[in-house]
Amino acid sequence: VVTGVGCVSAAGVGAEPLRTALASGGPLGEVLEVEAAGGRKRPVRLARLAPFDRQVVFPAGSSAGWELSQLWVICCLMARSDAGWEGAGKILPPPGKRGTFLGTGFGCISTTWEY
C-alpha cells in the first residue's frame, strides 16, 4: 500500500502542518460565544481553513468548479506528492489499484470510520 496525505485545514496546507498539529495535541481555532436556543450564550470552538493560493493549481479565470471540489483536487495532488508519486519518470500503479478517500469536517467520526 502506498499512502500519502493531502490536507487543507485550520492547521495549514499540506501533510506537515497536519502532523505538527496532531503531535501538539492542542485544539485549533478560537472559542467564540454564540447565541443558542432560548437566547442563551454558548461557547463553541471555530477553526477556519488556513489561507492559501489556489491559483497554484487552478489558474485565474479557469472554471475549476465548486469550492469543495477544488479543495478535494488540491488535497489529492498533495497526497500523490506526499506518497512519492510526483515527478518525471514515476510510474503510477494501474488504475484498478489506486484510490482516494476524502474525509471532511462535515461528518461525524463514526460515519467516516464506516466508510
Side-chain angles (χ1 to χ4, degrees):
V1 174
V2 176
T3 59
V5 175
C7 182
V8 176
S9 71
V13 178
E16 199 51 44
L18 174 64
R19 290 180 182 117
T20 300
L22 291 172
S24 78
L28 297 174
E30 59 184 319
V31 176
L32 302 173
E33 293 275 328
V34 297
E35 192 169 320
R40 296 183 318 200
K41 294 220 175 202
R42 176 180 182 169
V44 296
R45 181 166 295 280
L46 177 66
R48 301 179 195 276
L49 286 181
F52 67 101
D53 185 6
R54 293 175 199 200
Q55 291 184 357
V56 170
V57 177
F58 303 109
S62 72
S63 58
W66 189 42
E67 184 177 25
L68 187 56
S69 298
Q70 290 178 8
L71 294 175
W72 187 21
V73 169
I74 290 167
C75 288
C76 288
L77 293 172
M78 285 190 289
R80 182 179 73 179
S81 177
D82 187 56
W85 292 105
E86 185 150 309
K90 300 285 184 173
I91 300 172
L92 292 172
K97 301 240 180 209
R98 296 183 224 164
T100 302
F101 174 77
L102 171 65
T104 72
F106 301 115
C108 64
I109 192 76
S110 60
T111 302
T112 303
W113 182 255
E114 286 178 28
Y115 178 78

